[in-house]
Amino acid sequence: MNHKSPPISHHIKGISPVLSVMQSMGLDSEACLDNTGISQTMLSDPEAGITLEQEFQFYRNILTISDDPLIGLKLGEIFRPEAYGLYGYAILSAKTLRESLQLAAEMGTLNFSHYRFLIQEDNNKTYIAFTPQYALPPDLIQIYSDRDIQAAITASQYLQGIAIKPRFVYLIHNDLSQLSAYQDYFECPVILGHHQNELHFDRALLDTPLPKHDMETSRYFQDQCQLLLEKLGGKSSLIESVRELLIASPGQFPSIEDVAAKLNYSVRSLRRHLDGEGSSYRQLLNEIRNQLAQEYLATNMSIEQIAELLGYTEPGNFSHAFKRWHGLSPKQYRQKNLSN
């Protein structure tokens, strides 16, 4: 098996917010889905996933329809921390901006970006460096770079008391015709054609305390994926590989088609091999949802938040599934464990 290919891209949930932006601009959201293989039915499917090529075509459509080379900046404005599930809640509950950024970098595979990022402190410069995880299509580097730089700024605005104001912005792409537009947008010097994307800001922000700090919640998130793998155990390397792909994005679960593609199987072959080992994609997904649900119910998150994190479109669907697993509703289960 080849585990070095690019990861499955955004869950289907990453598409709807972008379509909303297009609709707000008076543009045809249906046309954004042309030739992507993404249907309206998939958009309402909590288990749907999309491949890299589907996402790439979707963003190419956006560039064509919007006729706006800076559309990535507008898209970056919608990515609030909560959009990333528990990963986002952990960022919000960190002690300082420094800790928040370090956690985000360490758990970078959960943020659905095509870039990995790292905090850099060099003399008097402090910045977040964004480097591609793999080769991106040249025609999409600008929209993805713009989106992710702005998404980092957007996330900081929801940390309460912290709002990164760029001092310098460096971008990989070299659209010199838009240089003045970028400088007006970021209200700072912008350097194009750099070897990586960089967001420079005031170092004093790094150690500013965050009012939503919760050490227990933040630590819980950092440990949860490893704990889940240990609790669930593994019957085979294939089962473990499927579990790892599912656990990597709680609430943003890839479809069986995406899992099969990632592991270099056909869907039929993957089903046959899992069946031969006494398991299935559906069984593994339910095991992980069940374990996550129990972990989440031990926190103070609402039932609605938990349902969303588990990929259910309605809290009622989560409650029905949980009652099948435990014979108790999520609320009853939480009350019972609190009283013990």
Side-chain angles (χ1 to χ4, degrees), residues 35-295:
N35 300 313
T36 64
I38 303 171
S39 66
Q40 289 293 336
T41 301
M42 290 174 64
L43 291 175
S44 59
D45 182 354
E47 297 172 11
I50 55 175
T51 65
L52 285 172
E53 288 306 318
Q54 285 178 301
E55 185 190 301
F56 290 160
Q57 182 59 51
F58 175 70
Y59 273 86
R60 287 190 179 102
N61 291 344
I62 286 174
L63 284 172
T64 300
I65 295 168
S66 68
D67 193 28
D68 181 2
L70 305 185
I71 187 66
L73 298 174
K74 296 183 179 67
L75 300 181
E77 294 172 357
I78 65 175
F79 285 95
R80 300 173 53 172
E82 292 88 341
Y84 301 109
L86 199 57
Y87 169 79
Y89 289 115
I91 292 172
L92 290 170
S93 62
K95 184 176 182 180
T96 62
L97 178 61
R98 183 191 298 276
E99 184 179 295
S100 178
L101 291 172
Q102 288 172 341
L103 174 61
E106 290 168 6
M107 299 290 182
T109 55
L110 303 182
N111 65 18
F112 315 124
S113 174
H114 300 299
Y115 295 92
R116 61 173 57 89
F117 66 94
L118 186 67
I119 307 169
Q120 298 283 358
E121 295 182 72
D122 181 13
N123 297 325
N124 292 321
K125 295 187 297 183
T126 300
Y127 59 94
I128 305 172
F130 301 75
T131 57
Q133 298 186 52
Y134 34 78
L136 290 170
D139 59 327
L140 296 179
I141 288 177
Q142 182 171 1
I143 190 171
Y144 281 132
S145 296
D146 294 354
R147 183 196 69 179
D148 288 6
I149 285 280
Q150 179 54 46
I153 296 172
T154 298
S156 76
Q157 295 169 346
Y158 290 90
L159 295 176
Q160 291 191 4
I162 301 292
I164 291 178
K165 181 174 177 58
R167 300 181 66 177
F168 293 93
V169 171
Y170 291 76
L171 294 168
I172 296 176
H173 61 80
N174 196 29
D175 189 356
L176 294 175
S177 66
Q178 300 294 334
L179 179 57
S180 62
Y182 279 111
Q183 291 177 333
D184 289 343
Y185 181 88
F186 289 115
E187 298 182 339
C188 72
V190 175
I191 294 84
L192 301 178
H194 199 51
H195 68 280
Q196 63 185 7
N197 298 316
E198 296 179 6
L199 174 61
H200 292 238
F201 58 94
D202 185 354
R203 175 178 289 182
L205 288 177
L206 281 176
D207 297 309
T208 303
L210 301 182
K212 292 185 178 181
H213 171 52
D214 185 325
M215 183 181 299
E216 182 179 351
T217 299
S218 223
R219 184 185 297 122
Y220 162 76
F221 175 79
Q222 296 176 58
D223 294 341
Q224 81 161 344
C225 286
Q226 184 59 42
L227 287 173
L228 282 171
L229 286 171
E230 293 173 359
K231 288 179 181 179
L232 290 171
K235 298 178 183 178
S236 72
S237 59
L238 175 58
I239 287 177
E240 197 61 33
S241 294
V242 173
R243 280 175 170 153
E244 287 176 0
L245 287 174
L246 292 171
I247 290 173
S249 300
Q252 314 293 329
F253 304 111
S255 67
I256 188 171
E257 289 80 10
D258 289 336
V259 170
K262 173 62 178 174
L263 298 177
N264 291 331
Y265 282 94
S266 67
V267 172
R268 182 177 179 181
S269 178
L270 178 63
R271 282 180 172 146
R272 185 173 66 252
H273 280 81
L274 289 174
D275 182 63
E277 294 170 1
S279 189
S280 68
Y281 167 84
R282 173 65 59 182
Q283 180 179 332
L284 294 173
L285 178 60
N286 283 336
E287 284 179 10
I288 289 168
R289 276 178 160 166
N290 182 11
Q291 186 62 55
L292 281 170
Q294 294 176 70
E295 299 285 349

